[in-house]
Amino acid sequence: MEDLKSTISRAVALKRILEKPSLREMVSKLGSLPTLPEVYQRLTQVLESEDASVEEIGEIISQDLAMTANILKVVNSSFFGLTRRITSPAQAVGLLGLNTIQAIVLTTHLFETVKGAHPPDFSLPALWRHSLLVAVIARRIALEERLGVDQIEEAFMAGLLHDVGKVIFATKLADEYRRCLETAEQDERPLWNLEGERLGATHAEVGTYLMGLRGMNEAVVQAIVFHHGPSLESDIKFNPLACVHLADFIERLEGDLPPKEWTRG
């Protein structure tokens, strides 16, 4: 009964946020939003199939040479702390899971499409590093808490996408967002607080709206929208949201810690 109440409460809270007039007005100002890469759409179709093989999935990814290079670069980085080098998309899928690879495909695509179109004091490389570290730490927390395979992958996916709304703001509302960044630093105020005050919506809300339009998993969407305020989400159980919230806090607190400290074991 409590699980049912929590599920209903989450759905109501999420619906309330997505239907906020200020959020809808904000989104209407953004114009066209980034499109999904073809390989991501094909992977989504594969997810709906019960008999897709790792080899078939790897072949789909391999047909996009740029995306293959991006995936292998990410997977073989020190963030994952892998003991052997991954040389093919099929190996990456077999080791990390399709949902994890799908999240990497989507996020790298979003970051690639906005290169050079953001305020000079907004660092895409720094945001990418933060997002990837949060994803890896969230995944590690989910593993330590012995969550299910699906929840482990959802924690990673949400961690990787939790700040995607910042990318949208920085590219679509560059001048307004630059002023938010400056004020947040000068006044030592939370950036998300200023976003809601000045732009009418936070990066978490905009990211959630974007991912919701793309048919993203509900648990991932909820983790994105509530990652700054998990108390707004009534489920007190350990879940992907809790993993992302903790990972975001840890990464900001221990940002200089070597990635291997969060990936070993």
Side-chain angles (χ1 to χ4, degrees), residues 77-135:
S77 69
S78 60
F79 293 97
F80 282 94
L82 300 179
T83 57
R84 62 188 177 95
R85 185 166 184 80
I86 305 302
T87 59
S88 73
Q91 281 183 301
V93 173
L95 188 64
L96 299 175
L98 178 55
N99 282 316
T100 297
I101 298 303
Q102 191 181 29
I104 295 173
V105 167
L106 177 57
T107 313
T108 53
H109 170 76
L110 290 173
F111 275 73
E112 286 289 330
T113 57
V114 299
K115 278 186 174 178
H118 51 82
D121 52 348
F122 180 83
S123 173
L124 276 176
L127 182 59
W128 168 249
R129 183 182 188 280
H130 167 72
S131 299
L132 187 53
L133 259 177
V134 169

Side-chain angles (χ1 to χ4, degrees), residues 110-244:
L110 290 173
F111 275 73
E112 286 289 330
T113 57
V114 299
K115 278 186 174 178
H118 51 82
D121 52 348
F122 180 83
S123 173
L124 276 176
L127 182 59
W128 168 249
R129 183 182 188 280
H130 167 72
S131 299
L132 187 53
L133 259 177
V134 169
V136 171
I137 297 170
R139 182 174 183 271
R140 181 61 184 167
I141 293 172
L143 284 166
E144 291 289 345
E145 292 296 322
R146 299 183 180 181
L147 300 186
V149 173
D150 288 344
Q151 287 189 304
I152 291 169
E153 293 190 347
E154 288 164 354
F156 180 90
M157 183 179 288
L160 204 54
L161 294 167
H162 77 288
D163 275 347
V164 70
K166 290 183 179 180
V167 178
I168 304 301
F169 279 150
T171 55
K172 297 293 185 177
L173 300 171
D175 290 338
E176 296 96 320
Y177 203 52
R178 175 180 53 80
R179 288 191 285 271
C180 282
L181 291 167
E182 291 173 350
T183 302
E185 183 175 359
Q186 292 169 2
D187 297 352
E188 297 183 350
R189 290 182 59 188
L191 180 59
W192 62 269
N193 188 275
L194 276 166
E195 292 167 348
E197 182 181 293
R198 296 190 176 186
L199 303 179
T202 69
H203 66 269
E205 292 169 342
V206 170
T208 298
Y209 191 92
L210 175 62
M211 292 301 104
L213 288 178
R214 280 16 180 198
M216 188 61 67
N217 179 296
E218 183 181 347
V220 174
V221 171
Q222 289 173 345
I224 294 172
V225 75
F226 295 120
H227 75 268
H228 281 301
S231 61
L232 298 175
E233 200 263 18
S234 61
D235 192 347
I236 61 174
K237 291 183 178 180
F238 223 97
N239 57 16
L241 166 60
C243 294
V244 173

